[in-house]
Amino acid sequence: MRSAVIRRSCAAGVAVLSLTLLAGCSDSGEDGKEAGKGGSGSAEGKKTPALSAADLEKVVLKDGDVKGHKVTAPTVTVEQKDITTEDKACAPLAYATIGSVVDRPGATVQRETASVPNPTDPKSLDITRTLIRLSSYEGDGAKTALASLTKSVDACAKGFKVTADGTDQQVTKVAKTDAPGGADEAVALDIVSEAEDAKVPMKVVVVRKGATVAYFTALNIGSLATGKDFDFPAEIADAQIAKLA
């Protein structure tokens, strides 16, 4: 029975992130604040140049940076063209949720993290996988991207229909929650998407540090089976923000 539930929930999760986060989804689980100002350490007011792709590679999280989490290159990436919404106002929110980026950054690099299973329970499904996108923007593009996302969250708070990689799904919950500190701006959201009769809880965090925006989308494999909530791995965002400082 558990195998059937996992397979059905994985299918829903795959629809949400187009295989990106759930490539390691299996029965065993192997491999497995509201929008606004962030905390202290803001470089607000300083003109920070946009980072190149090579520069972003230097500051994106690497394996070993966060205890208890394995960092790898993503298995699959998601592009804006793969995501459509019935209401265009919801597009920025859909992009940030499903694994793409807002507006048109000059450069983007991506990583994927997976929490390490408890060694006393290696078959546990309590594994959180997080897709990270670091995007650099020219001029005020990073600020504009956050403004677009915030406006989209407010406009689509009651939910919206989205098609990702050809699969329709309904976002039924969009709730603001506490955002991490240390950034110039930050948005944190609890999201629930429904596809193939399964609920997919997700956590979305987007932060701006200067001209760079970091997007985090997290899924928990156990939650895909149960539909229950899970905690966003704040240590992932904290470590990435620190590397952008």
Side-chain angles (χ1 to χ4, degrees), residues 10 19-32 63 68-76 112-119 121-130 219-222:
C10 278
L19 296 176
T20 305
L21 290 178
L22 298 177
C25 195
S26 66
D27 285 338
S28 66
E30 294 175 357
D31 191 29
D63 198 30
H69 295 268
K70 184 174 179 58
V71 181
T72 61
T75 52
V76 179
E112 182 180 324
T113 73
S115 58
V116 178
N118 186 333
D121 187 9
K123 292 187 177 294
S124 172
L125 295 177
D126 186 18
I127 298 174
T128 298
R129 302 177 72 89
T130 306
L219 294 171
N220 182 276
I221 294 175

Side-chain angles (χ1 to χ4, degrees), residues 18-224:
S18 188
L19 296 176
T20 305
L21 290 178
L22 298 177
C25 195
S26 66
D27 285 338
S28 66
E30 294 175 357
D31 191 29
K33 292 174 188 176
E34 292 188 9
K37 300 295 182 184
S40 61
S42 170
E44 192 70 8
K46 297 180 181 179
K47 281 293 183 181
T48 305
L51 299 179
S52 67
D55 292 331
L56 290 174
E57 287 286 354
K58 295 176 183 177
V59 295
V60 72
L61 287 182
K62 296 176 176 58
D63 198 30
D65 283 346
V66 188
K67 184 177 180 180
H69 295 268
K70 184 174 179 58
V71 181
T72 61
T75 52
V76 179
T77 59
V78 182
E79 299 181 19
Q80 289 184 4
K81 66 180 179 61
D82 301 320
I83 304 167
T84 58
T85 57
E86 286 188 332
D87 186 344
K88 290 184 178 180
C90 301
L93 175 55
Y95 297 151
T97 298
I98 295 176
S100 186
V101 298
V102 178
D103 294 343
R104 301 294 184 201
T108 297
V109 300
Q110 302 192 53
R111 290 296 185 272
E112 182 180 324
T113 73
S115 58
V116 178
N118 186 333
T120 64
D121 187 9
K123 292 187 177 294
S124 172
L125 295 177
D126 186 18
I127 298 174
T128 298
R129 302 177 72 89
T130 306
L131 178 66
I132 303 169
R133 291 88 73 205
L134 285 191
S135 294
S136 60
Y137 295 78
E138 296 291 342
D140 290 330
K143 289 183 179 181
T144 301
L146 263 291
S148 296
L149 176 59
T150 301
K151 184 177 180 180
S152 186
V153 169
D154 292 339
C156 303
K158 294 183 180 180
F160 57 96
K161 184 178 179 181
V162 58
T163 301
D165 202 19
T167 301
D168 294 335
Q169 54 207 276
Q170 184 70 38
V171 173
T172 58
K173 177 182 178 180
V174 179
K176 294 179 183 178
T177 185
D178 291 337
D184 297 327
E185 295 180 275
V187 179
L189 305 168
D190 285 348
I191 305 284
V192 175
S193 178
E194 296 187 10
E196 299 187 8
D197 298 322
K199 291 184 177 181
V200 182
M202 292 178 283
K203 306 291 183 180
V204 176
V205 172
V206 181
V207 303
R208 180 181 68 83
K209 193 72 173 177
T212 301
V213 176
Y215 301 84
F216 306 87
T217 301
L219 294 171
N220 182 276
I221 294 175
S223 291
L224 293 177

